[in-house]
Amino acid sequence: MVATIGNQQTIRSTEVFDSLNPATSEVIATFPVFGEADVADTVQRARQAASWWAELGWAGRQQRLLAWKSHITRYMGRLAELVHNETGKPVPDAQLEILLAIVHIDWAAKHARRVLGPRRVRSGLVAMNHAAVLEYQPLGVVGVIGPWNYPVFTPMGSIGYALAAGNAVVFKPSELTPAVGGWLVSSFAEVVPEQPVLQLVTGAGQTGGQLARSGVDKIAFTGSATTARKVMAACAENLTPIVAECGGKDAMIVGSDADLDAAADACAWGALSNAGQTCVGIERVYVAQDVYHTFLEKLADRVTSVRPGDDREADYGPMTMPGQAEIIESHIADALARGARPVVGGIASIRRPYVGPVILADVPEESKAVTDETFGPTVTVAKVADLAEGVELANASRYALGGTVFAKNKKAAMAAARALRSGMTAINSVISFASVPSLPFGGSGDSGFGRIHGADGLREFARPKAITRQRMKPLLNLTSFTRSDKDMNRLLAGAAILHGRRYR
Ligand code: TXE
């Protein structure tokens, strides 16, 4: 049976696909592949819903988004089971991901008016007879193309903020996690039954491409840099703007004064949790030489008790995307061929659909395990002279997403954090920036561009609107053909006094 998806629409395409449990290969549900006409119909319905949603105003939207947040919180158990079944991750990890998404919906709902609502700004001397108002209006319809690794948290960083900014959303979840996407859309329809403000389209890359070409007002994409390029090309046809959250190759830098137990513990979690399928997961570690061996021992020690599986005691699950195991294998093989030393695990750690923890030391910097996103439970550990060299090597990547610095000296840690080219850095913890809703999240280079979360994340889904309102007649009427030479001379004399002073 094809799953119902809460859109109450007739789908013209007859093609379907299955969503599978990656641990057992059982079919979870069957979904329609939305074709071009189906996507177009959905976007058209979203246009009407967008007007209704925008007219609700800040208070109306806030009340409904908070009701949605409450609904997700109360039914978190069901959603977590679904996330577990579709991605294979342990239920507590699914709960953590959902909780983070809830925190973000809450923040977006409560701060949208303050960040985006109308406000008076100074009009300046030249325009002192005008009142100046700045506000951020909704874009209209936002298309969200989501990934599978955090199927609630990641797309919600766009969906929650786009809705709070007053837009309707058409959501295409990954073809690996459509049931989670369907649950989110249906749950929204339960608290906002009046209009299809949040709709689902299901299918693989082709459906995503159709959404990008559909004339939506913005695309929020999360996935690989390779796919982001294709999505941008599709968006270019209509000059549709895009925010792209792509992968990463995040580094942890460990200084000689770091708390090594805490650093090893954070590294193990940052590298292995969710089977390493985390865009801001730790994939490389650079450790100051005088603590290198102690750190490596402590890390190896922690990692030996970490185990993948599908049982309730497992620390992490299978690879969600079966093909990922090949990439992981090729990165390990390449590193070993170049002389890397396996400290924990190796090729034998790959037991599909699971991959055991792998720690590689002395990996040449030009190896794929250092340059490319592995997206598996593997990490490379290298020796550096100090924090500065760690920063230099961390920055020598085409990715720039997150990262971590472990050091006790606050000034040195802050300086290293600032010097990292990434969009986010955690000091003495991992991934903590993702749990602070007022902080923007996003990267540069192959990690993408634009921001979700925080005030910047709200503005990403809004268009700035500038308004001037003349309050009194101008002293000098400069924008008129009746302007006199006298007025112009007065203006230039004023400009010379105000701006013409020499600066030394
Ligand atoms: O991602 P894709 P995949 C990285 C990770 C992983 C790799 C591939 O390294 O190994 O990406 O994963 C839709 N037009 N990340 O294949 O292809 C697709 O249906 C429009 C990092 O799953 O980027 C899905 O909904 N849309 C990342 C979404 O794009 C298209 C999370 C992502 O798929 C499309 C996931 C097209 N032509 C993987 N082709 C992160 N930043 O966390 C595909 N899609």
Side-chain angles (χ1 to χ4, degrees), residues 16 48 68 82 123 125 176 199 225 339 345 362 384 438 477:
V16 293
Q48 286 176 9
W68 189 32
L82 201 51
S123 37
L125 257 187
L176 299 180
Q199 295 181 83
D362 306 329
V384 289
S438 48
N477 194 3

Side-chain angles (χ1 to χ4, degrees), residues 196-327:
V197 176
L198 172 61
Q199 295 181 83
L200 185 77
V201 295
T202 48
Q206 207 178 358
T207 306
Q210 283 153 356
L211 183 58
R213 279 190 189 85
S214 67
V216 289
D217 301 291
K218 186 151 196 170
I219 286 286
F221 169 80
T222 310
S224 62
T226 308
T227 305
R229 288 182 174 89
K230 292 184 196 160
V231 176
M232 272 186 87
C235 284
E237 290 175 18
N238 294 313
L239 274 188
T240 302
I242 166 175
V243 45
E245 299 296 336
C246 306
K249 191 71 192 173
D250 287 0
M252 172 187 269
I253 304 169
V254 183
S256 50
D257 65 340
D259 175 340
L260 297 182
D261 287 310
D265 191 61
C267 180
W269 168 263
L272 306 177
S273 62
N274 204 29
Q277 304 166 118
T278 304
C279 54
V280 286
I282 302 296
E283 300 215 353
R284 303 177 284 160
V285 192
Y286 296 108
V287 191
Q289 53 196 6
D290 37 348
V291 293
Y292 176 74
H293 290 293
T294 318
F295 173 83
L296 206 49
E297 264 170 34
K298 286 179 188 290
L299 178 63
D301 198 42
R302 263 172 187 65
V303 161
T304 35
S305 60
V306 176
R307 174 182 67 79
D310 190 35
D311 54 289
R312 297 276 153 173
E313 274 76 47
D315 297 295
Y316 61 84
M319 302 318 296
T320 306
M321 188 169 70
Q324 198 68 34
E326 269 93 83
I327 296 172

Side-chain angles (χ1 to χ4, degrees), residues 159-174:
I159 295 171
Y161 287 78
L163 289 172
N167 303 282
V169 172
V170 175
F171 175 32
K172 193 206 83 65
S174 164

